[in-house]
Amino acid sequence: MDRPGGYPARVSSTEQTPAETSSSASRPARVTAAAVVAALEALALFAGGAYLLVTSLTGRPDDLTQALTGGATLLALGLIPLLAARGLLRCRSWSRGPAIITQLMALPVAWTLLQASSAAIPGGIALAVAAVAGLVLLVHPQTTEALGIRPRA
């Protein structure tokens, strides 16, 4: 519906387009699963950042500045998979890129954890499984189709 002068009519914030009302119904389970993987990775980054910040403030780190910077960096990095998860749940095509980058960045971290001879090995296994599962989910044709990403011609 156009208003006089050729300007489109404004849509109130309470009105929703058909795509917005049926996004969860039309969203494949693979996209939802990829969003869950990204959200869990964001949660892990936030937990790690908070842990580093708390232990650096309550303990005696070798270098306080480095410990605080590491914690703040993990908190900031947690925003990437969190935003990607939100975008995936809303079937936004832009969200696939940050989600894939997060999974690719997780693989070397998982490898490093797997090389440790400590309790970090189960964490490395979990991270590797999550990263590979996330990549498989994100590159699946059903996911790319649901996100509106067309194959190159």
Side-chain angles (χ1 to χ4, degrees):
M1 219 188 296
D2 287 344
R3 292 187 301 181
Y7 295 107
R10 291 186 178 199
V11 177
S12 73
S13 60
T14 58
E15 294 179 29
Q16 293 181 341
T17 63
E20 291 172 335
T21 57
S22 64
S23 67
S24 63
S26 63
R27 182 178 58 236
R30 284 180 174 81
V31 176
T32 304
V36 168
V37 169
L40 288 173
E41 289 170 336
L43 182 64
L45 285 166
F46 289 141
Y51 175 78
L52 272 176
L53 288 175
V54 169
T55 57
S56 64
L57 293 174
T58 60
R60 299 193 88 126
D62 292 336
D63 185 0
L64 180 63
T65 304
Q66 186 176 4
L68 291 174
T69 303
T73 301
L74 286 179
L75 290 174
L77 285 174
L79 291 174
I80 297 169
L82 181 65
L83 292 173
R86 184 173 185 251
L88 287 169
L89 286 175
R90 294 178 174 208
C91 288
R92 304 287 194 247
S93 61
W94 62 262
S95 61
R96 184 172 172 246
I100 287 177
I101 289 170
T102 299
Q103 307 315 317
L104 291 174
M105 289 174 57
L107 290 173
V109 174
W111 179 257
T112 302
L113 292 173
L114 289 170
Q115 299 304 309
S117 59
S118 66
I121 293 174
I125 293 169
L127 183 57
V129 168
V132 171
L135 282 171
V136 168
L137 291 167
L138 289 165
V139 299
H140 193 277
Q142 190 178 16
T143 302
T144 57
E145 182 182 327
L147 296 176
I149 300 169
R150 294 185 184 99
R152 292 185 179 174

